[in-house]
Amino acid sequence: LVSVLSSAIIVYRLPWTWKCSKLLMKFIHAGLNTIAMILAIVSMVAVFEYHNARNIPNMYSLHSWIGLTAVIFYSVQLFFGFAVFLLPFAPVPLRAAVMPIHAYSGLTIFTMVIATALMGITEKLIFSLKNPAYSASPPEATFVNCLGLLLVIFGALILWMASRPHWKRPPEENAKVLRPIGGTPEGTEAESTMTGGSNADKSDLRINSEAARKQNLKFDEAGQRSTM
């Protein structure tokens, strides 16, 4: 989850992918999340089987609680991501409304995964290191503590890339402008034919066209650029 989920989060944020089509990037984003979900399920099955074979209690530590919660939330996130952003049935206003929640929940799940990993390696050290003990700072403890610091730095870097506005994928250049039924794009044709209209009417038309353009860019950005 740490490695594959982080790749899925920043796949839209890499400048060399901006030339690829949004549909291709959507499939890559969804594919990476699907791989991460499959690996998470396999690993959880392995953990429960190992605990049962060694007569170790299941689901008693905070590490296990947060880990299971992250996997459950991730499965829900993946399902709604497919239904809303990948399938063509969801309307654009729904995508625009769900997009902020989708992005925030994805980053929250990634943070939970990092926290679960940190608690898991600490728990393993406490239970495994007996002679010398973990408190004696043997080489194994130093190595794993350094690994934990690298996980924190890595997680902070991913969150920084996902939250910076200038790392966002730029809107498509050929985005169509929303306009009323029977209207003309961007108001250019209408303005050229309004020879008898007043300057105030032309100004109102340009304002309405600019508002429609901004609304369309907002819907296009929200509906097409998901970050799971």
Side-chain angles (χ1 to χ4, degrees), residues 83-216:
V84 176
F85 297 104
L86 196 62
L87 299 181
F89 308 111
V92 174
L94 176 61
R95 295 183 180 185
V98 174
M99 181 60 205
I101 303 174
H102 180 75
Y104 175 79
S105 59
L107 296 180
T108 302
I109 292 172
F110 178 71
T111 304
M112 293 175 63
V113 169
I114 294 292
T116 302
L118 294 176
M119 288 184 290
I121 61 179
T122 303
E123 180 182 294
K124 184 64 176 179
L125 285 176
I126 294 175
F127 291 160
S128 300
L129 295 180
K130 301 298 183 182
N131 188 22
Y134 183 29
S135 58
S137 297
E140 297 89 343
T142 302
F143 174 79
V144 177
N145 288 345
C146 292
L147 175 63
L149 289 177
L150 290 177
L151 280 175
V152 173
I153 295 173
F154 177 76
L157 179 62
I158 296 297
L159 295 177
W160 182 82
M161 294 178 62
S163 60
R164 301 298 294 175
H166 63 270
W167 282 84
K168 289 184 178 181
R169 178 187 174 99
E172 295 290 335
E173 296 180 357
N174 59 346
K176 296 181 180 179
V177 178
L178 291 178
R179 59 183 182 273
I181 298 177
T184 55
E186 299 184 1
T188 54
E189 182 180 351
E191 290 183 11
S192 62
T193 57
M194 291 177 59
T195 55
S198 63
N199 293 333
D201 294 335
K202 294 181 180 180
S203 178
D204 292 340
L205 181 58
R206 285 193 294 268
I207 293 175
N208 292 335
S209 300
E210 183 66 22
R213 185 184 300 106
K214 292 181 179 179
Q215 182 183 12
N216 178 75

Side-chain angles (χ1 to χ4, degrees), residues 36-52:
M37 188 71 244
I38 294 174
L39 294 178
I41 294 175
V42 171
S43 64
M44 290 199 64
V45 172
V47 168
F48 279 102
E49 289 185 352
Y50 176 80
H51 281 193
N52 295 333

